[in-house]
Amino acid sequence: MMNKVPEVTVYFWIIKVLSTTVGETAADFLNVNLHLGLTGTTLIMAVALAAVLVWQFRTDRYVAGIYWLAVVLISIVGTLITDNLTDSLGVPLPVSTVVFAVLLVATFVVWYRSEGTLSIHSIVTSRREGYYWAAILFTFALGTAAGDLLAEGLDLGYWRSGLIFAALIGVVASAYARSWMNPILAFWIAYVLTRPLGASLGDYLSQARDDGGLGLGTVITSGAFLAAIVVLIVYLGVTKRDAPVPVATPHRNAVARRR
């Protein structure tokens, strides 16, 4: 199996932010505009995500369209998990934020003890891929809870929350560029922070002006961002600009030594 995760380029982060925005606005569109309700939307998206993940696991290499479709769907499901806890079960946002943070850390601990690395450049077995997608799901749920906590719980509003998370990402990027932070740690912190950044952007664009948004609506916002994602995925599929670099595995090292 070749590495199942794309190289972390500027395209990776652009599509990631676009995906998180779609995760926020699409969940609202299905829930409110199509009147599916929170439970109905969650069930439909969970089934769709499970089907795409099966497809993803059955491939033996990175395929841009399959991979990013899984990311978009897991973004929606991660948003819905937090929304269900908050709206249906009445779990306070500080509690859900802490719970998802603990679950994410626990996933990393189990992953590291099992595989000895948390690098996304070594997703070359089904077990590592399982840990990877579990971590991705918890990053989206955590990012949703943290973003809602700042924007709604602390009443900072969407654009202020977005600026805060953008500033935090800038701090992480600066620390990484100066070699003050481990690359793997920097990646995962940035991955968590881009979720509330994209969600804040989506809410700011889609929500009504009376609620602190621009009033574009979830249809226009979701459609525009989905179109941008499709264009980028087609570009990457053709150019292979984000194709993973082959990584050394014990089997490959043994073959190399015999040669």
Side-chain angles (χ1 to χ4, degrees), residues 24 78-79 81-83 85-86 91-102 104 137-158 160-165 168 189-200 203:
E24 185 74 16
T79 299
I81 290 174
T82 300
D83 289 346
L85 289 175
T86 304
V91 178
L93 286 171
V95 174
S96 57
T97 300
V98 172
V99 168
F100 286 127
V102 171
L104 179 59
L137 177 61
F138 289 134
T139 63
F140 278 113
L142 172 59
T144 301
D148 289 348
L149 178 60
L150 262 67
E152 300 172 10
L154 300 181
D155 200 27
L156 293 179
Y158 302 124
R160 292 186 184 88
S161 299
L163 287 179
I164 291 173
F165 288 113
L168 291 174
I189 292 176
Y191 203 97
V192 171
L193 292 174
T194 51
R195 172 61 185 88
L197 172 63
S200 297
D203 283 334

Side-chain angles (χ1 to χ4, degrees), residues 9-20 68 228-229 232:
T9 64
V10 64
Y11 301 107
F12 180 96
W13 292 115
I14 291 174
I15 300 177
K16 170 59 167 58
V17 173
L18 293 175
S19 299
T20 61
W68 286 111
I229 292 173
L232 287 172

Side-chain angles (χ1 to χ4, degrees), residues 13-199:
W13 292 115
I14 291 174
I15 300 177
K16 170 59 167 58
V17 173
L18 293 175
S19 299
T20 61
T21 303
V22 170
E24 185 74 16
T25 57
D28 291 341
F29 171 73
L30 295 171
N31 180 18
V32 180
N33 296 63
L34 296 187
H35 307 291
L36 295 179
L38 196 55
T39 301
T41 302
T42 303
L43 291 175
I44 292 172
M45 289 297 100
V47 171
L49 173 61
V52 172
L53 283 179
V54 169
W55 191 12
Q56 166 69 18
F57 271 81
R58 287 184 175 179
T59 63
D60 63 353
R61 67 194 65 212
Y62 164 69
V63 179
I66 303 174
Y67 174 87
W68 286 111
L69 178 58
V71 171
V72 170
L73 289 174
I74 209 168
S75 172
I76 297 174
V77 172
T79 299
L80 291 168
I81 290 174
T82 300
D83 289 346
N84 274 282
L85 289 175
T86 304
D87 299 336
S88 300
L89 301 179
V91 178
L93 286 171
V95 174
S96 57
T97 300
V98 172
V99 168
F100 286 127
V102 171
L103 290 173
L104 179 59
V105 171
T107 301
F108 285 145
V109 170
V110 175
W111 181 357
Y112 188 80
R113 286 184 175 179
S114 173
E115 304 298 321
T117 179
L118 299 178
S119 173
I120 67 166
H121 301 296
S122 61
I123 310 300
V124 293
T125 67
S126 295
R127 184 166 62 182
R128 290 186 180 184
E129 190 173 12
Y131 289 131
Y132 174 78
W133 287 110
I136 295 300
L137 177 61
F138 289 134
T139 63
F140 278 113
L142 172 59
T144 301
D148 289 348
L149 178 60
L150 262 67
E152 300 172 10
L154 300 181
D155 200 27
L156 293 179
Y158 302 124
W159 69 270
R160 292 186 184 88
S161 299
L163 287 179
I164 291 173
F165 288 113
L168 291 174
I169 293 172
V171 171
V172 173
S174 178
Y176 166 72
R178 290 171 170 78
S179 299
W180 295 345
M181 184 177 290
N182 178 276
I184 296 176
L185 177 62
F187 169 83
W188 284 112
I189 292 176
Y191 203 97
V192 171
L193 292 174
T194 51
R195 172 61 185 88
L197 172 63

